[in-house]
Amino acid sequence: MAELVLGPLLRHVDARSATVWVETDTACTVEVAGRSTPTFQVSGHHYALVALTGLEPATVTEYEVRLDGAARWPEPGSDLPPSRIRTLPDGGDHDFLLVFGSCRKPESEDRQERKQWGTDALAAYAVRMGTQPEREWPDALMLLGDQVYADETSKATIEWLSGRRSLDEPPGQEVADFEEYVRLYHESWSTPLVRWLFSTVPTSMIFDDHDVRDDWNTSQTWRDDIERTSWWANRERGALASYWVYQHIGNLAPPELDEDKTYAAVLAAGRDGDAAGVLREFADAAAQEVNGHKGTRWSYRRDFGNVRLLVIDTRSGRILKDGKRSMVGDSEFEWIETNADGDYDHLLIGSSLPWLMPHVISHVQSMNEVACRRTDWRGRLAEKLRQTADLEHWPSFRQSYDRLTRLIRRIAEGSASTVCVLSGDVHHVYAAEATFDRPVRARVYQLTCSPVHNSVERYMRPLFRLAWWRPLAGVLRRWMFRSPRIEPLPVDWSKVAGPYFGNAVATLKVRGRAAELVIECADSGQDGPYLRPMPPLALTDEPRP
């Protein structure tokens, strides 16, 4: 009999459709809420994405997962509420609650790792959900990168790797291929509380660097160096293929899946065939940069009534060759600009990397990008600093940074109530409000929440606070603009919440044109993990009712 290995994960949900993702231990037929589909196979692993269409808006459907007719979810004896699909209302304004965060290490049996990584904020959120009425549950969860750490593996994974290959050979304790990525996802997504949370809250995802490797695509120099290794090609291939299976396809709505050529080719291999070759070719093409274009687009869009979520790939889509340096290529940026237009009250831009950073860090990154263009020893030193200090966020891609800023300003001049950039990566939590060189109607924010379950060295905390110090930023700003090669910044910003440190999740609450942010830090007590809310932040002139 077929068994459920991982999942179910409730992924795309709108007013009339939903998708549910699972991994099973053998080929079978997967049934969810009366809809069934055969599994597909990749490198001996079996998956299914069940598309449920024709649902009624604003309804709740409790569901179980059946494999070849046998019930496999929920797990016997679970005291958590039943998994359920809650469709959105069909148009119009309605209350909307989005939880977001990034950077999540797996839960560990090792005492030292548990102490180092602290309390998993997603587990704490699931504990609270289990005691709440359904009407208080979130409508969506946005995970903004570093779902797995391919370059910082846990002790349990290191032990597993050592039984598979020699760790004395590169890449050592880092993962090497698709099979080892499968191990990371199993480790990260198998714990009961998080597994139940994913089965109940529609979840969107995007990768960041650690999903592949720290500083992934920092610069062309970085790529040139890594591509000279014997192991990188297979590592990146496994990263992109596993990301497609475990994260990407669930971001798509059923009509988008129907039009996806790679998805069609994978399904065409059949439940007893193996689509590894299809995804190998796809991953190799996705990693290539040709004439300023990348082989695929990972960015996507979701609409939740009067809220639009536009998620930008800030890692794989970077253009680095031939002296060009862009966060995404021109064609993808045009797609972003087109999809930013629409009839909504709130635009959310999901970017694993913050647009607005602590001022000192932002200015240093802009100066470093210019310094790296030198061809002498100063340029080489600047490049070494860029890679060592992770100077590869939006401000270090000034052409893309300025273009994104112009887009945000244009949208803010229209009828929207708020424009919020949701980010993670930087291992502290903050909110900053933007102002521009001319008046805009909407309130514009950078909202950053990281990590969900990880750690930041204590010596970094005062450095982050110092990076927000405006007098120091002012000195750097004056120094920066003495260079004719650095354009004046098209935006200014002020920190309005934080910085907070430790594991956390952030919640964006929307009612009509009003919006509010709540940041909650995770901790553990005698009764298990729990969340401590910080003071709420009203994002609009009138607080959320």
Side-chain angles (χ1 to χ4, degrees):
M1 295 292 289
E3 298 292 341
L4 197 61
V5 174
L6 201 59
L9 273 75
L10 182 59
R11 298 301 310 272
H12 181 96
V13 175
D14 55 30
R16 298 184 180 276
S17 68
T19 62
V20 177
W21 180 99
V22 299
E23 181 180 351
T24 64
D25 68 343
T26 190
C28 62
T29 296
V30 180
E31 180 182 343
V32 175
R35 318 296 170 88
S36 61
T37 189
T39 55
F40 60 87
Q41 184 177 180
V42 181
S43 297
H45 299 275
H46 304 270
Y47 309 93
L49 185 65
V50 182
L52 294 85
T53 57
L55 304 178
E56 290 297 318
T59 58
V60 178
T61 302
E62 294 185 4
Y63 73 90
E64 61 181 13
V65 177
R66 292 183 172 271
L67 306 183
D68 288 338
R72 290 292 181 262
W73 182 268
E75 294 185 311
S78 173
D79 57 358
L80 292 165
S83 300
R84 61 197 73 182
I85 300 166
R86 297 173 299 144
T87 55
L88 298 172
D90 193 5
D93 296 347
H94 57 86
D95 290 2
F96 176 69
L97 194 156
L98 172 74
V99 178
F100 67 94
S102 82
C103 307
R104 182 174 175 269
K105 290 275 193 175
E107 295 188 37
S108 175
E109 295 297 324
D110 181 79
R111 182 176 180 181
Q112 183 179 5
E113 287 181 335
R114 289 202 308 272
K115 181 179 179 180
Q116 179 183 357
W117 298 337
T119 302
D120 184 350
L122 286 190
Y125 202 97
V127 167
R128 190 175 65 191
M129 276 183 62
T131 65
Q132 289 177 317
E134 179 191 300
R135 65 179 180 276
E136 297 180 15
W137 290 2
D139 298 289
L141 171 64
M142 180 74 234
L143 299 175
L144 291 156
D146 294 345
Q147 278 298 289
V148 293
Y149 281 74
D151 53 344
E152 298 177 7
T153 51
S154 68
K155 293 180 180 179
T157 291
I158 292 170
E159 182 178 355
W160 181 85
L161 291 174
S162 69
R164 186 171 189 261
R165 57 176 171 83
S166 171
L167 300 187
D168 294 330
E169 299 294 328
Q173 296 179 358
E174 301 183 24
V175 302
D177 55 23
F178 181 89
E179 186 68 27
E180 295 178 8
Y181 267 101
V182 169
R183 158 73 191 190
L184 294 185
Y185 282 105
H186 289 183
E187 181 182 45
S188 183
W189 290 358
S190 292
T191 51
L193 286 170
V194 170
R195 194 173 179 184
W196 173 80
L197 177 71
F198 285 166
S199 76
T200 301
V201 181
T203 303
S204 303
M205 305 176 183
I206 194 68
F207 44 34
D208 199 20
D209 55 344
H210 290 286
D211 293 89
V212 182
R213 196 170 200 260
D214 189 27
D215 299 339
W216 180 34
N217 288 342
T218 289
S219 64
Q220 188 58 46
T221 300
W222 185 93
R223 280 208 69 91
D224 291 343
D225 290 343
I226 202 77
E227 287 175 352
R228 282 192 284 268
T229 67
S230 61
W231 54 270
W232 173 251
N234 206 36
R235 162 73 158 274
E236 189 172 37
R237 184 181 299 123
L240 295 179
S242 62
Y243 176 81
W244 186 92
V245 171
Y246 284 87
Q247 298 196 48
H248 177 68
I249 55 175
N251 292 326
L252 306 180
E256 294 171 313
L257 289 168
D258 291 341
E259 297 175 0
D260 191 288
K261 294 180 180 179
T262 303
Y263 189 62
V266 167
L267 296 184
R271 57 179 269 174
D272 297 318
D274 198 311
V278 173
L279 288 187
R280 178 189 178 94
E281 292 181 6
F282 167 81
D284 287 345
Q288 295 301 312
E289 178 186 329
V290 180
N291 297 324
H293 298 275
K294 297 303 285 280
T296 193
R297 171 172 55 79
W298 303 105
S299 303
Y300 60 94
R301 182 187 119 190
R302 301 230 19 217
D303 288 323
F304 305 92
N306 69 331
V307 177
R308 172 161 296 177
L309 173 63
L310 190 59
V311 182
I312 301 175
D313 160 29
T314 59
R315 285 291 178 182
S316 183
R318 294 180 178 187
I319 303 301
L320 304 168
K321 283 185 178 177
D322 303 324
K324 298 178 181 178
R325 185 170 167 83
S326 302
M327 190 67 83
V328 296
D330 286 341
S331 61
E332 185 161 347
F333 226 124
E334 290 168 3
W335 180 90
I336 293 166
E337 290 166 333
T338 298
N339 282 271
D341 292 322
D343 183 17
Y344 52 76
D345 291 322
H346 306 273
L347 175 63
L348 311 180
I349 298 176
S351 165
S352 64
L353 303 179
W355 163 55
L356 303 178
M357 303 187 70
H359 297 89
V360 171
I361 296 175
S362 180
H363 298 341
V364 167
Q365 293 205 17
S366 290
M367 291 188 290
N368 175 262
E369 182 186 29
V370 171
C372 286
R373 296 174 190 157
R374 295 180 178 271
T375 58
D376 57 8
W377 65 269
R378 290 170 292 185
R380 292 191 294 272
L381 180 61
E383 176 64 34
K384 184 175 181 61
L385 176 62
R386 170 155 64 188
Q387 295 188 33
T388 302
D390 294 343
L391 305 180
E392 35 83 39
H393 297 75
W394 279 99
S396 71
F397 289 79
R398 270 299 301 273
Q399 181 182 11
S400 298
Y401 176 95
D402 291 353
R403 187 170 181 177
L404 178 63
T405 299
R406 290 193 298 269
L407 169 63
I408 291 172
R409 184 182 63 185
R410 176 173 65 80
I411 297 300
E413 289 174 331
S415 61
S417 177
T418 66
V419 180
C420 299
V421 179
L422 312 182
S423 304
D425 181 72
V426 292
H427 286 212
H428 68 297
V429 184
Y430 65 89
E433 184 167 10
T435 55
F436 300 90
D437 54 359
R438 57 180 187 250
V440 297
R441 296 178 181 178
R443 304 283 291 274
V444 178
Y445 295 93
Q446 170 68 61
L447 307 177
T448 302
C449 184
S450 163
V452 167
H453 187 218
N454 205 330
S455 62
V456 60
E457 293 82 356
R458 288 199 171 271
Y459 76 85
M460 290 295 297
R461 297 184 180 190
L463 294 179
F464 279 133
R465 292 190 176 96
L466 181 64
W468 282 107
W469 192 37
R470 294 303 291 261
L472 178 57
V475 172
L476 286 175
R477 189 184 182 103
R478 288 192 295 273
W479 186 18
M480 178 171 63
F481 294 149
R482 290 169 58 186
S483 170
R485 293 178 294 175
I486 303 179
E487 294 292 328
L489 289 169
V491 62
D492 196 8
W493 61 100
S494 299
K495 179 173 61 65
V496 293
Y500 302 115
F501 298 98
N503 297 330
V505 289
T507 302
L508 185 68
K509 301 180 178 181
V510 170
R511 174 171 290 177
R513 291 180 61 82
E516 178 183 83
L517 177 73
V518 176
I519 296 164
E520 297 177 286
C521 297
D523 211 337
S524 293
Q526 292 183 346
D527 297 326
Y530 65 93
L531 296 171
R532 293 181 291 103
M534 301 297 105
L537 174 67
L539 302 179
T540 48
D541 292 333
E542 293 297 327
R544 179 179 177 273

